[in-house]
Amino acid sequence: MSTEEQAIKKRKAEDASNGFNAATDVDNAADLTQNTLPILPRDCKNLLLDIEGCTTAISFVHDVLFPFARNNVQKYLEDVEEADLTAIADSLVKDVNALDEGHPSRKEIESAGDASDEDIKKKICAHVNALMNNDVKATGLKALQGKIWKAGYASGELKGHIYDDFKPMLDWCKSHGVSVNIYSSGSIGAQKLLFGSSTAGDLCS
């Protein structure tokens, strides 16, 4: 690439207007002398974001959501019907059985013996602990965690963390016809709970 082409490609700082969608100037115009790509390209109409570390602190998931699910399993199960308890237990057993024979979660369940089988709620708690102790991401576990989180959000015990600058950015995108989309390993239900009951209010509407 020639010097002239490089000069054309890299906008000068004094000519920059690199607010959201280059609509308004901000105090980081000089960044464009170092970066050839603006934060949000001009005329962009779709924005794809992750959650952890982007809209929400990574620590919120690991230090708030996961401990909340683990600590409130027993409380949540108190109001669950017998048939639903069986379905939850079966899904967690399926999660464990899908693991390799030597997986730590399987060994933990095996070491608990048959005691947990005598009480279905204890069985569920044992499986949850065994899976979470080894950071297993499984369908049955995720489903149960989502139900516990939903109850927590509904009661007000949980509020989804979002960074302070996310709500203003979201408002700007809405007013300028930019679609904001989320790509995350978390379930759609968990994402809606986080943004629907966030520290900045309901961001889903």
Side-chain angles (χ1 to χ4, degrees):
M1 181 181 293
S2 68
T3 302
E4 183 178 357
E5 289 174 328
Q6 289 178 346
I8 294 174
K9 189 174 182 64
K10 186 178 292 185
R11 297 168 59 202
K12 294 181 179 179
E14 57 266 27
D15 296 328
S17 176
N18 86 328
F20 291 122
N21 225 27
T24 57
D25 206 351
V26 290
D27 61 5
N28 62 338
D31 288 347
L32 291 183
T33 63
Q34 302 296 325
N35 304 304
T36 58
L37 292 177
I39 295 173
L40 187 61
R42 186 185 299 274
D43 301 323
C44 171
K45 291 301 179 183
N46 292 282
L47 185 60
L48 184 62
L49 303 176
D50 195 357
I51 291 179
E52 295 183 59
C54 187
T55 70
T56 301
I58 295 175
S59 60
F60 176 69
V61 176
H62 294 281
D63 298 341
V64 178
L65 287 184
F66 285 165
F68 185 87
R70 185 197 291 267
N71 297 333
N72 286 274
V73 175
Q74 191 69 43
K75 178 182 177 182
Y76 172 78
L77 296 178
E78 290 175 0
D79 298 321
V80 177
E81 298 292 335
E82 191 69 28
D84 293 328
L85 286 174
T86 300
I88 291 172
D90 289 346
S91 66
L92 292 172
V93 169
K94 186 176 180 180
D95 287 345
V96 172
N97 289 341
L99 302 172
D100 295 336
E101 285 293 334
H103 194 281
S105 293
R106 295 192 69 147
K107 291 182 177 180
E108 189 172 332
I109 292 296
E110 291 168 2
S111 66
D114 298 330
S116 61
D117 288 330
E118 299 173 4
D119 185 327
I120 193 167
K121 293 180 182 179
K122 289 182 179 179
K123 179 178 182 179
I124 290 172
C125 290
H127 279 67
V128 168
N129 287 327
L131 291 167
M132 293 191 69
N133 286 345
N134 298 284
D135 197 29
V136 174
K137 305 296 190 296
T139 303
L141 176 63
K142 281 187 175 183
L144 178 57
Q145 288 172 327
K147 292 174 182 176
I148 296 172
W149 293 333
K150 184 176 182 179
Y153 282 117
S155 68
E157 294 176 84
L158 282 177
K159 288 289 183 183
H161 171 268
I162 61 164
Y163 289 119
D164 292 340
D165 60 354
F166 180 63
K167 178 64 163 55
M169 184 280 295
L170 189 63
D171 290 340
W172 185 94
C173 285
K174 287 182 178 179
S175 65
H176 288 77
V178 177
S179 174
V180 179
N181 306 276
I182 298 295
Y183 182 83
S184 173
S185 61
S187 68
I188 294 176
Q191 294 175 35
K192 287 183 176 180
L193 288 172
L194 191 157
F195 292 118
S197 299
S198 79
T199 51
D202 184 0
L203 303 182
C204 294
S205 57

